Amino acid sequence: MSQIKNILVVGGGTSGWLTANYLARHMGDGREGGVHVTLIESSDIPTIGVGEATIPPIKTIVSVLGFDEAEFMRETSATFKLAIKFDNWLHGADKVGDVAHSYYHTFGKFQQVNGDLMAPYWVLDRERSGKSYVDYAMVEGGICDGGRGPKRITDPQYTGPMEYAYHFDAGRLAELLKKKGKERGITQVIATVEDVELAENGDIAVVKTKEAGDFTADLYIDCTGFHARLIEKAMGTEFTSMNDVLFCNSAVACQIPYETEKDPIPPYTTATAHTEGWTWDIPLNNRRGVGYVYSNKYADKDKAEALLREYLGPRGDDLNVWHIDIRTGKRRQQWKGNCVSVGLSAGFIEPLESTGIFLVDMALRWLAEFVSTTDKFEVAARDFNSRMNEMYADIIDFIKLHYAITKRTDTDFWIDNANPDTWTDTLRDKLESWQRRVPGLYEFSGFPQVFGLTNHLQVLYGMDYLPDLTGQEAKFAHVDAARAISRKFEGGTQGGLAILPVQRDLIDQIYTTGFIPPKR
């Protein structure tokens, strides 16, 4: 058996440096018998930090790489994220800036009453209670409304009373990862790949650069983004577009400073639906990252940019913006031979539910677990590709769900999204079944479960996609107990508001002092 000794990562940025650091950390870079990681990146490809939102698994990879949480937050302009607030996805507003309908998708868990889900009790009781599903069965919505952070300054790193993720500047994260990587012993090469030579069996034999000569390795990682220099340009693996399901294929983005240093920092991403797409609004420490994701089938660049500036208001008139082409889809073979694609080179799903870095994270976890010796790549690649394809399929269904169940009819974009002909077969079957019943726990038993039962319940019921439980009332015998639990959630929300600091105050203190261990 031939042990892996050298790994070559081609491409920098967040994906490249995250890959290099993770593989070095898990495969023994710098230790006897371990691997050595080299990263090649071009000097002429800038990283634009328009704002990145994440989901809770990000905490694991950040902590595993050895970052102090306060240091990580300061270095990346990070803030805490407890949820996504969806505005105008169910009904359209009269004009940009108005809100006709909103709901939260939080990181909270589903709740039960005497072994039953709380969800059907809310469906049966919602008119009497007057509460949203999140307010009936969770505490997170009230915490978000109160603008609170998820933890206190004395809570241990990476934990707190509330589940959370981060908003941060992806460009600054890339720089922090580069710094950590160099300290770890990763070799950085500034060069441009000119050519890739293949061996007779189709594997990569040599990566040729303009400035630094030739490079060989036992394993090659393609982090070259949509360019896909190794996995597609050299090895010929096909990319499968999903634009017939997820229409958004363009974006225009900008950075907008806060008006004052004390402007509130919401503990959530705001995703606002518009005529041909939606805006992300990500609150960082010193500014917001805002972008409009849209379909160029329904709107051109000028119209999209005008809508973004209208959303920003007068302060957005003179801001620089970046236009971005999006390639939505994935490649079935993300690992072929001795080459693995990670990040945008493997695939991309629009950023509606903040899955970009998560997909990198899972690819690296599985890669580090599956790869062992160079003579077992075929078996490892087959397992890796199968798992990644399943995960992409689940995420695509969940993202399309947000569009499929809209009641908007103001533009062809929304009408076409609600047309079942644009849904996947699996999503169509799910939605048909969920017209008559509440989703069940055992429908979401895969690992890792990116979007499980709690996520589906919040989106379905936030969008008023309710099952008809007429005639099934006898199945739910714990109405009084469910109401009592719901009242406890009201108390839990009030208790959380009493102990949790306002997000702006918490962020300012973390940046000034770091976390402070409680006195003993």
Coordinates of all heavy atoms in Angstrom, one line a residue, residues 150-181:
P150 N -26.9 35.1 21.3 CA -27.3 33.8 21.7 C -26.6 33.4 23.1 O -26.9 32.3 23.6 CB -26.7 32.9 20.6 CG -25.5 33.7 20.1 CD -25.9 35.1 20.3
K151 N -25.7 34.2 23.6 CA -25.0 33.8 24.8 C -24.5 35.0 25.5 O -24.8 36.2 25.1 CB -23.7 33.0 24.3 CG -22.8 33.8 23.4 CD -21.7 32.9 22.8 CE -20.8 32.2 23.7 NZ -19.8 31.3 23.1
R152 N -23.9 34.8 26.7 CA -23.4 35.9 27.5 C -21.9 35.9 27.4 O -21.3 34.9 27.0 CB -23.9 35.7 28.9 CG -25.4 35.7 29.1 CD -25.9 34.8 30.1 NE -25.6 33.4 29.9 CZ -26.2 32.4 30.6 NH1 -27.1 32.7 31.6 NH2 -25.9 31.2 30.4
I153 N -21.3 37.0 27.9 CA -19.8 37.1 27.8 C -19.1 36.1 28.6 O -17.9 35.8 28.4 CB -19.4 38.6 28.1 CG1 -18.0 38.9 27.6 CG2 -19.5 38.8 29.6 CD1 -17.9 39.1 26.1
T154 N -19.8 35.5 29.6 CA -19.2 34.5 30.5 C -19.4 33.1 30.1 O -18.9 32.2 30.7 CB -19.7 34.7 31.9 OG1 -21.1 34.7 31.9 CG2 -19.2 36.0 32.5
D155 N -20.1 32.9 29.0 CA -20.4 31.5 28.5 C -19.1 31.0 27.8 O -18.3 31.7 27.2 CB -21.6 31.5 27.5 CG -22.9 31.6 28.2 OD1 -23.0 31.1 29.3 OD2 -23.8 32.3 27.7
P156 N -18.9 29.6 27.9 CA -17.8 29.0 27.3 C -17.8 29.3 25.8 O -18.8 29.5 25.1 CB -17.9 27.5 27.6 CG -18.8 27.5 28.8 CD -19.7 28.7 28.7
Q157 N -16.6 29.2 25.2 CA -16.5 29.4 23.7 C -17.3 28.3 23.0 O -17.4 27.2 23.4 CB -15.0 29.2 23.3 CG -14.1 30.3 23.8 CD -12.7 30.3 23.2 OE1 -12.6 30.2 22.0 NE2 -11.7 30.4 24.0
Y158 N -17.9 28.8 21.9 CA -18.7 27.9 21.0 C -19.9 27.3 21.6 O -20.5 26.4 21.0 CB -17.8 26.9 20.4 CG -16.6 27.4 19.7 CD1 -15.3 27.3 20.2 CD2 -16.7 28.1 18.5 CE1 -14.2 27.9 19.5 CE2 -15.6 28.7 17.8 CZ -14.4 28.6 18.4 OH -13.3 29.1 17.7
T159 N -20.4 27.7 22.7 CA -21.6 27.2 23.3 C -22.4 28.4 24.0 O -21.8 29.5 24.2 CB -21.4 26.2 24.4 OG1 -20.6 26.8 25.5 CG2 -20.6 25.0 23.8
G160 N -23.6 28.2 24.2 CA -24.5 29.2 24.8 C -25.9 28.7 25.0 O -26.2 27.6 24.5
P161 N -26.7 29.5 25.6 CA -28.1 29.0 25.8 C -28.9 28.8 24.5 O -29.8 28.0 24.5 CB -28.7 30.2 26.6 CG -27.6 30.9 27.3 CD -26.5 30.7 26.3
M162 N -28.5 29.5 23.5 CA -29.2 29.4 22.2 C -28.2 28.8 21.1 O -27.0 29.1 21.1 CB -29.7 30.8 21.7 CG -30.4 31.6 22.7 SD -32.0 30.8 23.2 CE -32.9 30.9 21.7
E163 N -28.7 28.0 20.2 CA -27.9 27.5 19.1 C -27.7 28.7 18.2 O -28.5 29.5 17.9 CB -28.7 26.4 18.4 CG -27.9 25.7 17.2 CD -26.6 25.1 17.7 OE1 -25.6 25.8 17.9 OE2 -26.6 23.8 17.8
Y164 N -26.5 28.7 17.6 CA -26.1 29.8 16.7 C -25.1 29.5 15.7 O -24.4 28.4 15.8 CB -25.6 31.0 17.6 CG -24.3 30.7 18.3 CD1 -23.1 31.0 17.7 CD2 -24.3 30.2 19.6 CE1 -21.9 30.8 18.4 CE2 -23.1 30.0 20.3 CZ -21.9 30.3 19.7 OH -20.7 30.1 20.4
A165 N -25.0 30.3 14.7 CA -23.9 30.3 13.7 C -23.3 31.7 13.6 O -23.5 32.5 14.6 CB -24.5 29.8 12.4
Y166 N -22.7 32.0 12.5 CA -22.1 33.4 12.4 C -22.5 34.0 11.0 O -22.8 33.4 10.1 CB -20.6 33.3 12.4 CG -20.0 32.6 13.6 CD1 -19.5 31.3 13.5 CD2 -19.9 33.2 14.9 CE1 -18.9 30.6 14.5 CE2 -19.4 32.5 15.9 CZ -18.9 31.2 15.8 OH -18.3 30.5 16.8
H167 N -22.4 35.4 11.0 CA -22.2 36.1 9.8 C -20.7 36.6 9.9 O -20.2 37.0 10.9 CB -23.1 37.4 9.8 CG -24.5 37.1 10.0 ND1 -25.3 37.5 11.1 CD2 -25.4 36.5 9.2 CE1 -26.5 37.2 11.0 NE2 -26.7 36.5 9.8
F168 N -20.1 36.6 8.7 CA -18.7 37.1 8.7 C -18.3 37.6 7.3 O -19.0 37.3 6.3 CB -17.7 36.1 9.3 CG -17.7 34.8 8.6 CD1 -17.3 34.6 7.3 CD2 -18.2 33.7 9.3 CE1 -17.3 33.3 6.7 CE2 -18.2 32.4 8.7 CZ -17.8 32.2 7.4
D169 N -17.1 38.2 7.2 CA -16.5 38.6 6.0 C -15.7 37.5 5.4 O -14.7 37.1 6.0 CB -15.7 39.9 6.2 CG -15.1 40.5 5.0 OD1 -14.7 39.7 4.1 OD2 -15.0 41.7 4.9
A170 N -16.1 36.9 4.3 CA -15.4 35.7 3.8 C -14.0 36.1 3.3 O -13.1 35.2 3.4 CB -16.2 35.1 2.6
G171 N -13.8 37.3 2.8 CA -12.4 37.7 2.5 C -11.5 37.7 3.6 O -10.3 37.3 3.6
R172 N -12.0 38.2 4.8 CA -11.1 38.3 6.0 C -10.9 36.9 6.6 O -9.9 36.6 7.1 CB -11.8 39.3 7.0 CG -11.7 40.7 6.5 CD -12.2 41.7 7.6 NE -11.4 41.7 8.8 CZ -11.5 42.5 9.8 NH1 -12.5 43.4 9.8 NH2 -10.7 42.4 10.8
L173 N -11.9 36.0 6.4 CA -11.8 34.7 6.9 C -10.6 34.0 6.1 O -9.8 33.3 6.6 CB -13.0 33.9 6.8 CG -12.9 32.4 7.1 CD1 -12.5 32.2 8.6 CD2 -14.3 31.7 6.9
A174 N -10.6 34.2 4.8 CA -9.6 33.6 3.9 C -8.2 34.1 4.4 O -7.3 33.3 4.4 CB -9.8 34.0 2.5
E175 N -8.1 35.3 4.7 CA -6.8 35.8 5.2 C -6.4 35.2 6.6 O -5.2 34.9 6.8 CB -6.8 37.4 5.3 CG -6.9 38.1 4.0 CD -5.7 37.7 3.1 OE1 -4.6 37.8 3.6 OE2 -5.9 37.4 1.9
L176 N -7.4 35.0 7.4 CA -7.1 34.4 8.7 C -6.7 33.0 8.6 O -5.8 32.5 9.2 CB -8.4 34.5 9.6 CG -8.3 33.9 11.0 CD1 -7.2 34.6 11.8 CD2 -9.6 34.0 11.8
L177 N -7.4 32.2 7.7 CA -7.0 30.9 7.4 C -5.7 30.8 6.7 O -4.9 29.8 7.0 CB -8.1 30.2 6.5 CG -9.5 30.0 7.1 CD1 -10.5 29.6 6.0 CD2 -9.4 28.8 8.1
K178 N -5.3 31.7 5.9 CA -4.0 31.7 5.3 C -2.9 31.9 6.4 O -1.9 31.2 6.4 CB -3.9 32.9 4.3 CG -2.6 32.9 3.5 CD -2.5 34.2 2.6 CE -3.5 34.1 1.6 NZ -3.4 35.2 0.6
K179 N -3.1 32.8 7.3 CA -2.2 33.0 8.4 C -2.0 31.8 9.2 O -0.9 31.4 9.6 CB -2.7 34.2 9.3 CG -1.9 34.5 10.5 CD -2.5 35.6 11.3 CE -1.8 35.8 12.7 NZ -2.4 36.8 13.5
K180 N -3.2 31.1 9.6 CA -3.1 29.9 10.4 C -2.4 28.8 9.6 O -1.6 28.0 10.1 CB -4.5 29.5 10.7 CG -4.6 28.2 11.5 CD -4.0 28.3 12.9 CE -4.9 29.1 13.8 NZ -4.4 29.0 15.2
G181 N -2.7 28.7 8.3 CA -2.0 27.7 7.5 C -0.5 27.8 7.4 O 0.2 26.8 7.5

